[in-house]
């Protein structure tokens, strides 16, 4: 079987698919991944064959088809639609590269991240099934429908009236955390994966005091309404306050951002690049901006979370984790250093958070492993894509 | 069976679905047609039970929350998205009234006009099939997609992860003029319908001179007004009878008219059969009505959505297109003269009328809807 995996415009859309792509390869299938240049290293460093299909970042796709780059509207429906249209333009750019690629290498099935609206189109072009890979956490419907509307000209060119529906979806979100409006999906266990670097003892060793992971890595290739980073300025205010807690601090930032933090006092603060999957295991709390990667890592490793999301649609899934008792949620406007320190202190002190996180972890561990989903892909690749739907 | 028809917010798109609603009623089904308050007279005047679902008007979609007029983009793609979002906004207002309606009066099937995007949503909400009824010969697909995008928050609120698709698509476009990639459809012949007024003998009687009908539609822009005025002046020098379908206000602005010109309200379905040529802005139902009667046309597709079917009808040979940027009175008069002087236009117009006449009737099509429900 030949499987083509297609990433969306951010690393966050690529990494959750890596275990499935690797599992497919391990049972002997031919696997290619496709991504934009800025996202491509996520696949390459996972040992996967990766082809660049666009050179654009999502931020660059703010520039519309007329060549204008209107500023993103404030939070709300207008902004969601505008980001959706950016995703559509990104997809249009990827589509060109994808069509060139499949002319040389014809896949038997296409697995695309939910934000990769190019995936169903390239699958349709080749005439093979399309499988949607979802986290169901930060994939608002308005983003998807906005991207589809933006792709009107490409659809017309392909003789389509809408984006072809997936043969099925795969979702790594545990049932209770999935959005109510998520499409039906095959469950797959989220196996946290992150780009690796040599592991230092501090990454995987707990010394005694509780460990707080502040996940602030900017999602390279993201930005433009999809980024979920905590700003450097904010972190510089927050960090000294958090160090006052009796805790060890891990601040996961990109290498370039690490230099802008002062030398950590007392050796209880680690700043820099660190593989999320390696460090999350030994942590007691993950603080993040609502990005799917730390959210899913927290769920998979049974670690309580504090979410500080900027955007409403990012707050939604964090709110669901919070309702299940495994997280606290502070919107940016509420997230003063005092409030964050207080929340961290509560989260560490109250065992109910850990218990709820452990329950969710049990649920995650019970979901079918990637190898099981590979068997579903095999079945699907033997089927024909759904007949042209009766749509007008 | 109970059939809920969901109408759009302007008379043209309502006219298109009236014959099918009347057919369903006369076959003994319970029929309601839902629409905004301001179009209730259009529906009741067709003898169809009408249910108001919103007090807001289609025109209001042009204004933002603060009451400022939105700027209509000039770029075509942006404009389609803009138009689609207007329809989406409008649909969300209708849904506020439609959802309680179907809680009280449970339909077995929902039939919606193509641009009434509330229809698929309320059908899914009620758990019944959705039939999409074309209102003209097709719009750019980006309009549908942008309407769906605009409705995203509403869809979410109902727990839907997509815009529901149609279970049956009734298309009124004759096969020769359908796009190569047009979706699978139950075809149905287009029956012209328009609100009636008092009928005068001159409407359905033709004199000796060639009869030209100029339809201004409801959208008389200042440019188009100039065109009308110029055409009226030109007509006065020609050996023709010129009928101008326009609102009374437009008629008054044109001032005193030559003897061979009549202007005012005109029921297209009565007048078209007596005409040798109809010139219009390519409104969806106007074009279809003239096709039905085998009348050649001169079309100026001012609204971008009309460009597609105008091009197809021109290529077919039953119409001549004048691009909006070339709409000088001279060009339009020349185009009218060409069509009158060239027999092939009349022949092709009759060909398409012939083709439409053998398409399935509304009564036949109704059986397809009945099968969907049973």
């Amino acid at each position: 079987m030949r499987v083509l995996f297609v990433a969306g415009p951010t690393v966050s859309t690529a990494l959750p698919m890596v275990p499935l792509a690797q599992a497919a390869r391990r049972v002997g299938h031919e696997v290619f991944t496709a991504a934009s240049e800025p996202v491509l290293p996520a696949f390459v460093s996972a040992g996967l064959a990766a082809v660049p299909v666009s050179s654009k970042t999502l931020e660059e796709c703010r520039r519309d088809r007329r060549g204008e780059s209107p500023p993103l509207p404030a939070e709300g429906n207008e902004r969601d639609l505008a980001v959706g249209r950016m995703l559509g333009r990104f997809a249009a750019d990827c589509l060109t590269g994808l069509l060139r690629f499949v002319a040389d290498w014809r896949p038997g099935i296409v697995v695309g991240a939910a934000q990769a609206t190019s995936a169903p189109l390239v699958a349709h072009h080749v005439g093979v099934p399309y499988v949607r890979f979802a986290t169901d956490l930060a994939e608002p419907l308005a983003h998807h429908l906005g991207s589809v509307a933006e792709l009107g000209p490409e659809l017309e060119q392909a003789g389509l009236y809408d984006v072809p529906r997936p043969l099925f979806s795969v979702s790594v979100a545990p049932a209770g955390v999935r959005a109510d409006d998520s499409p039906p999906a095959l469950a797959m266990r989220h196996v946290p994966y992150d780009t690796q670097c040599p592991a230092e003892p501090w990454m995987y060793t707990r010394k005694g005091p509780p460990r707080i992971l502040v996940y602030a890595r900017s999602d390279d290739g993201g930005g433009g309404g999809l980024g979920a980073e905590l700003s450097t300025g904010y972190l510089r205010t927050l960090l000294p306050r958090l160090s006052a807690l009796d805790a060890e601090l891990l601040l996961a930032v990109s290498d370039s951002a690490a230099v802008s933090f002062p030398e950590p006092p007392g050796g209880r603060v680690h700043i820099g690049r660190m593989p999320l999957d390696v460090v999350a295991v030994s942590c007691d709390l993950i603080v993040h901006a609502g990005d799917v990667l730390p959210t899913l890592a927290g769920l998979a490793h049974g670690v309580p979370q504090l979410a500080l999301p900027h955007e409403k649609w990012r707050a939604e899934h964090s709110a669901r984790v919070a309702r299940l008792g495994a997280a606290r949620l502070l919107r940016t406007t509420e997230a003063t250093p005092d409030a964050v320190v207080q929340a961290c202190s509560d989260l560490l002190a109250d065992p109910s958070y850990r218990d709820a996180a452990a329950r969710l972890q049990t649920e995650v561990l019970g979901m079918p492993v990637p190898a099981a989903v590979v068997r579903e892909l095999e079945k699907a690749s033997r089927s024909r894509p759904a007949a042209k739907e009766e749509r007008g | 069976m109970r059939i809920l028809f969901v109408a759009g917010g302007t008379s043209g798109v309502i006219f298109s679905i009236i014959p099918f609603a009347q057919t369903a009623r006369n076959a003994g089904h319970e029929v309601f047609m839902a629409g905004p308050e301001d179009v209730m007279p259009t529906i009741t005047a067709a003898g169809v039970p009408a249910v108001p679902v919103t007090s807001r008007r289609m025109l209001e979609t042009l204004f933002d929350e603060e009451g400022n007029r939105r700027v209509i983009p000039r770029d075509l793609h942006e404009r389609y998205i803009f138009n689609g979002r207007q329809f989406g906004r409008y649909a969300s207002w209708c849904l506020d009234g439609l959802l309680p309606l179907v809680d009280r009066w449970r339909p077995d099937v929902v039939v919606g006009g193509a641009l009434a995007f509330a229809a698929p949503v309320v059908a899914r909400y009620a758990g019944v099939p959705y039939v999409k009824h074309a209102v003209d010969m097709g719009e750019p697909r980006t309009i549908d997609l942008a309407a769906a995008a605009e409705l995203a928050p509403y869809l979410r609120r109902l727990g839907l992860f997509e815009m529901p698709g149609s279970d049956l698509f009734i298309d009124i476009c004759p096969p020769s003029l359908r796009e190569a990639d047009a979706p699978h459809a139950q075809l149905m012949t287009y029956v012209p319908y328009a609100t009636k007024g008092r009928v005068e003998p001159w409407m359905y009687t033709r004199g000796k001179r060639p009869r030209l009908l100029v339809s201004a539609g409801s959208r008389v822009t200042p440019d188009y007004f100039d065109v009308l005025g110029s055409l009226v002046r030109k007509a006065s020098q020609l050996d023709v009878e010129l009928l101008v379908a326009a609102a009374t206000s437009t008629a008054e602005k044109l001032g005193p008219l030559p003897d061979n010109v009549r202007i005012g309200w005109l029921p297209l379905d009565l007048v078209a059969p007596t005409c040798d040529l109809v010139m219009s802005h390519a409104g969806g139902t106007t074009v279809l009505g003239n096709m039905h009667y085998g009348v050649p046309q001169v079309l100026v597709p001012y609204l971008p959505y009309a460009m597609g079917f105008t091009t197809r009808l021109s290529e077919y040979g039953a119409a001549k297109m004048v691009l909006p940027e070339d709409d000088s009175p001279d060009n339009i008069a020349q185009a009218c003269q060409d069509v009158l002087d060239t027999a092939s236009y009349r022949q092709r117009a009759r060909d398409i009328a012939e083709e439409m006449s053998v398409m399935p009737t509304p009564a036949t099509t109704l059986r397809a809807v009945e099968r969907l429900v049973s």
Side-chain angles (χ1 to χ4, degrees):
Chain A
M1 174 172 69
R2 284 182 156 190
V3 197
L4 172 62
F5 287 84
V6 183
T10 62
V11 170
S12 296
T13 67
L15 294 180
M17 292 197 295
V18 164
L20 182 61
Q22 289 175 333
R25 247 186 76 73
R26 273 198 301 276
V27 292
H29 297 302
E30 284 181 65
V31 170
F32 259 99
T33 60
S36 55
E37 295 279 7
V39 173
L40 206 69
F43 283 140
V44 175
S45 62
L48 291 162
V51 285
V53 289
S54 162
S55 60
K56 290 204 169 149
T57 62
L58 188 61
E59 171 58 27
E60 284 164 349
C61 294
R62 198 150 55 80
R63 189 183 169 89
D64 67 24
R65 291 173 191 258
R66 292 171 296 186
E68 291 174 20
S69 304
L72 273 179
E75 179 180 277
N77 194 37
E78 287 299 317
R79 183 181 177 91
D80 289 351
L81 275 187
V83 172
R85 294 189 60 187
M86 288 162 63
L87 286 167
R89 290 190 281 271
F90 177 77
D93 200 58
C94 289
L95 189 60
T96 314
L98 282 166
L99 294 180
R100 212 175 296 130
F101 172 63
V102 298
D104 299 331
W105 190 87
R106 191 179 182 279
I109 188 165
V110 175
V111 181
Q115 298 91 337
T117 325
S118 54
L121 293 178
V122 72
H124 173 84
H125 176 85
V126 183
V128 296
Y130 155 62
V131 172
R132 175 176 168 274
F133 188 98
T135 67
D136 288 330
L137 297 185
E139 293 146 4
L141 183 59
H143 284 185
H144 175 67
L145 294 179
S147 79
V148 174
E150 182 64 29
L151 285 167
E154 283 73 20
L155 289 169
E156 187 165 352
Q157 209 170 4
L160 291 169
Y161 283 76
D162 201 346
V163 161
R165 299 294 193 265
L167 188 61
F168 59 84
S169 290
V170 173
S171 172
V172 291
V177 181
R178 296 188 78 209
D180 292 338
D181 61 343
S182 305
L186 284 182
M188 189 186 96
R189 175 176 156 185
H190 175 70
V191 180
Y193 167 81
D194 199 357
T195 302
Q196 299 301 312
C197 62
E200 309 267 353
W202 61 263
M203 291 181 187
Y204 52 86
T205 328
R206 259 181 97 99
K207 292 212 183 84
R211 276 157 73 90
I212 302 176
L213 168 64
V214 179
Y215 182 90
R217 199 170 65 194
S218 77
D219 194 350
D220 21 338
L226 271 195
E229 60 269 20
L230 298 167
S231 76
T232 306
Y234 180 71
L235 288 169
R236 288 170 86 151
T237 329
L238 188 61
L239 227 49
R241 302 293 313 277
L242 282 178
S243 341
L245 288 169
D246 181 25
E248 192 180 1
L249 284 183
L250 284 72
L251 175 60
V253 289
S254 60
D255 287 334
S256 55
V259 297
S260 59
F261 290 94
E263 190 67 21
R268 296 228 309 194
V269 183
H270 303 280
I271 297 173
R273 231 176 97 193
M274 54 192 86
L276 179 59
D277 54 335
V278 173
V279 292
V281 185
S282 59
C283 284
D284 299 278
L285 174 62
I286 305 178
V287 180
H288 58 79
D291 188 6
V292 295
L293 296 177
T295 305
L296 286 169
L299 294 172
H301 291 299
V303 184
Q305 314 183 16
L306 172 61
L308 314 170
H310 303 296
E311 311 244 3
K312 188 160 150 271
W313 52 271
R314 267 189 205 289
E316 285 172 5
H317 62 263
S318 299
R320 288 193 295 274
V321 182
R323 268 200 301 280
L324 293 165
R328 287 274 297 271
L329 167 66
L330 291 174
R331 293 299 305 276
T332 319
T333 45
E334 311 164 322
T336 59
D338 280 344
V340 171
V341 169
Q342 186 58 51
C344 287
S345 162
D346 293 350
L347 279 153
L348 291 174
D350 184 346
S352 76
Y353 292 107
R354 187 102 214 169
D355 294 344
R359 283 195 297 276
L360 279 166
Q361 183 188 24
T362 309
E363 192 181 337
V364 171
L365 296 181
M367 292 164 80
V369 291
V373 175
V374 171
R375 287 193 289 278
E376 297 300 326
L377 296 181
E378 288 164 356
K379 271 188 245 165
S381 78
R382 288 193 293 268
S383 77
R384 300 194 59 75
K388 255 192 184 174
E389 281 178 85
E390 192 168 280
R391 298 187 64 84
Chain B
M1 127 174 125
R2 282 182 162 182
I3 310 180
L4 173 62
F5 282 80
V6 179
T10 51
S11 51
V13 297
I14 296 174
F15 291 165
S16 298
I17 65 171
I18 290 285
F20 195 55
Q22 289 173 333
T23 302
R25 243 181 84 72
N26 292 336
H29 298 297
E30 281 182 66
V31 168
F32 271 1
M33 188 177 289
E37 274 169 19
D38 67 333
V39 302
M40 288 296 106
T42 307
I43 302 172
T44 53
V48 173
V51 191
V53 289
T54 176
S55 58
R56 303 188 75 169
R57 294 170 303 135
M58 183 68 203
L59 195 66
E60 290 176 50
T61 59
L62 279 172
F63 296 85
D64 67 16
E65 305 299 320
E66 282 83 44
N68 304 311
R69 205 183 166 89
R70 299 174 198 267
V71 181
I72 300 176
R74 296 165 70 94
D75 175 79
L76 209 53
H77 175 66
E78 290 297 324
R79 183 151 175 189
Y80 291 158
I81 293 208
F82 179 90
N83 289 149
R85 295 192 61 188
Q86 275 182 284
F87 284 114
R89 231 169 268 140
Y90 179 69
S92 71
W93 301 339
C94 291
L95 279 168
D96 287 340
L98 278 167
L99 302 185
L101 169 65
V102 300
D103 286 338
R104 294 190 299 269
W105 188 86
R106 243 194 115 60
D108 297 301
V109 59
V110 173
V111 179
L115 297 170
F117 295 98
V121 181
V122 70
R124 180 65 64 89
Y125 172 80
V128 299
Y130 159 57
V131 177
K132 174 173 165 171
H133 186 324
V135 292
D136 53 35
M137 289 189 286
E139 299 83 24
R141 49 205 94 186
T142 301
I143 290 184
D144 291 37
L145 302 172
E150 181 69 23
L151 280 170
Y154 218 106
L155 295 170
R156 273 216 71 179
R157 220 179 324 148
L158 297 176
L160 300 179
F161 57 85
E162 61 183 7
M163 184 73 172
S166 59
D167 297 285
L168 180 72
F169 173 41
I170 300 175
D171 198 1
I172 52 180
C173 183
S176 301
L177 295 180
R178 295 191 89 214
E179 289 189 79
D181 63 3
H184 176 78
Q186 161 74 45
L187 297 184
M188 184 174 82
T189 195
Y190 172 77
V191 180
Y193 169 84
T195 306
K196 295 295 180 293
R198 190 188 162 88
V199 173
E200 306 282 351
W202 63 263
M203 292 177 180
Y204 53 87
T205 3
R206 186 193 142 86
K208 290 205 168 55
R209 289 181 294 188
R211 227 174 191 209
L212 261 72
L213 168 61
V214 174
S215 166
S218 50
R219 305 177 180 90
V220 182
T221 60
D223 286 351
Y224 198 72
F225 185 84
D226 290 345
V227 169
L228 273 185
S230 306
L231 278 178
V232 166
R233 284 192 294 279
K234 280 195 181 292
S236 62
Q237 289 139 37
L238 296 174
D239 188 25
V240 296
E241 184 186 1
L242 179 68
L243 308 178
V244 180
T248 324
S249 55
T250 309
E252 283 163 1
K253 272 190 269 178
L254 283 173
L257 298 170
D259 293 344
N260 61 342
V261 176
R262 280 179 193 275
I263 187 158
W265 173 78
L266 288 172
L268 184 71
D269 51 342
L270 290 180
V271 178
T274 68
C275 290
D276 298 279
L277 169 68
V278 178
M279 182 257 154
S280 76
H281 65 290
T285 42
T286 306
V287 174
L288 274 165
N290 294 314
M291 286 163 57
H292 173 91
Y293 291 112
V295 187
Q297 311 185 52
V298 168
L299 300 170
V300 192
Y302 287 107
L303 293 172
Y305 85 93
M307 190 60 84
F309 61 73
T310 302
T311 306
R312 282 178 272 143
L313 189 63
S314 304
E315 284 168 358
Y316 181 85
K320 192 174 180 79
M321 172 163 67
V322 177
L323 290 171
E325 57 267 33
D326 301 332
D327 70 348
S328 68
D330 280 343
N331 282 344
I332 289 176
Q334 186 58 51
C336 290
Q337 196 64 56
D338 287 351
V339 172
L340 284 174
D341 293 347
T342 315
S344 70
Y345 286 105
R346 183 99 217 168
Q347 188 52 52
R348 291 307 271 165
R350 283 181 178 148
D351 290 347
I352 202 71
E354 174 66 24
E355 183 178 321
M356 289 169 82
S357 71
V358 296
M359 287 167 75
T361 62
T364 307
T365 304
L366 181 64
R367 287 201 283 279
V369 175
E370 288 165 344
R371 278 196 299 276
L372 204 59
V373 174
S374 62

